[in-house]
């Protein structure tokens, strides 16, 4: 048996352990073979020597990162425990240029390597497809790029659009005028803008149509020029809708199309046009594709685990489906 007592010096224990010991609990879960107890500024690790040394090493990395960078996000502790390089996240974020400063003065920048690739792709191309699971910052990063372009007078207006498709449930009749009816579908876009612009300025831009938020159906027949356009939730577009949208772009337009191919809310008989558009158009000069993954999730720490669980289940179901189809074909061949 081995017992190691570590004294915490130079860091706030709350910042190190997390609220309700959430970060310390991640360390305990990673090393169930040892007993880890904390009292004041001391941490005691007891158990078999090879495990206590490993737990000690992980804990020292947590302390070092907190001392050097003044922060220790829960996601980074998860990365430390999983064995991936925790400095990759910090390296990517520290090298990221500030996109713009939000309404509270906080710098808004790419938080992950793939978010930085999205920023770089949007700067170098006129059309960018940003595809990835929920919580990876696709829409937020795209809106930040659009607001920056407007502030720097690179464009004269921002157009934010998305298909008005209900997420697996029927909301029935919605009261109010047309704006009241469509606003619930566009709420995520408003939320992103609220973070980046003061309320009075946002209201002025909306009132003068410098910033326009509208359902995709309202884009038909228009020419969108000298504008930064974002099509959100593009996985819920049909092939014809995407073609209609893309052929609206004027000579000086910039466009980011975001979507999550694992969350298609279209009726069963309808196919999403996003995958076909990516396959067909990504090779064209001036069009780029950026794929974000669960490693880019910046929401609650459990979101990443939830997405991975669903992905694993989907893969198993696909494998089972293929096996059944193969068995069926084999049986038919025998007949």
């Amino acid at each position: 048996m081995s017992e190691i007592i570590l004294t915490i010096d130079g860091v706030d224990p709350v910042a190190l352990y997390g609220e309700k010991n959430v970060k310390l609990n991640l360390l305990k879960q990673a090393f169930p073979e040892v007993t880890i107890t904390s009292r004041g500024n001391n941490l005691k690790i007891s158990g078999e020597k090879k495990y206590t040394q490993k737990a000690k090493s992980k804990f020292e990395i947590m302390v070092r990162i907190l001392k050097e960078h003044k922060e220790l996000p829960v996601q980074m502790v998860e990365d430390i425990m999983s064995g991936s390089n925790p400095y990759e996240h910090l390296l990517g974020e520290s090298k990221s240029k500030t996109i713009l400063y939000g309404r509270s003065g906080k710098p808004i920048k790419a938080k992950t390597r793939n978010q930085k690739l999205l920023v770089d792709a949007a700067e170098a191309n006129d059309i960018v497809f940003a595809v990835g699971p929920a919580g990876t910052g696709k829409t937020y990063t795209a809106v930040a790029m659009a607001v920056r372009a407007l502030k720097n007078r690179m464009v004269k207006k921002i157009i934010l659009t998305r298909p008005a498709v209900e997420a697996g449930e029927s909301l029935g009749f919605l009261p109010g005028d047309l704006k009241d009816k469509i606003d619930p579908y566009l709420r995520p876009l408003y939320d992103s803008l609220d973070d980046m612009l003061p309320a009075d300025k946002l209201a002025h831009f909306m009132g003068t149509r410098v910033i326009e938020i509208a359902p995709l159906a309202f884009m038909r027949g228009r020419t969108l020029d000298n504008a930064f356009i974002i099509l959100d939730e593009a996985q819920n577009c049909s092939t014809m809708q995407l073609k209609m949208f893309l052929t609206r772009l004027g000579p000086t337009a910039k466009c980011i199309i975001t979507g999550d191919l694992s969350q298609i809310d279209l009726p069963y008989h309808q196919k999403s046009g996003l995958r076909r558009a990516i396959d067909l158009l990504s090779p064209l000069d001036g069009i780029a594709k950026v794929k974000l993954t669960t490693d880019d999730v910046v929401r609650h720490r459990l979101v990443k685990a939830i997405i991975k669980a669903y992905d694993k289940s989907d893969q198993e179901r696909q494998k089972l489906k293929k096996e059944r189809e193969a068995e069926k074909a084999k049986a038919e061949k025998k007949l």
Side-chain angles (χ1 to χ4, degrees), residues 115-128:
Q115 284 184 13
K116 187 175 185 302
L117 285 177
L118 173 55
V119 172
D120 293 341
E123 289 176 345
N125 297 274
D126 289 333
I127 298 175
V128 177

Side-chain angles (χ1 to χ4, degrees), residues 17-18 21 26 38 58 68 90 111 118 139 142-143 153 194 218 233 253 263 267 277 288 290 305:
Y17 295 151
N21 287 336
L26 287 172
S38 63
K58 297 287 187 183
E68 291 175 359
L90 289 167
K111 292 184 176 180
L118 173 55
T139 302
V143 172
R153 299 186 179 180
D194 284 341
F218 287 19
E233 300 288 350
Q263 290 192 0
V290 177

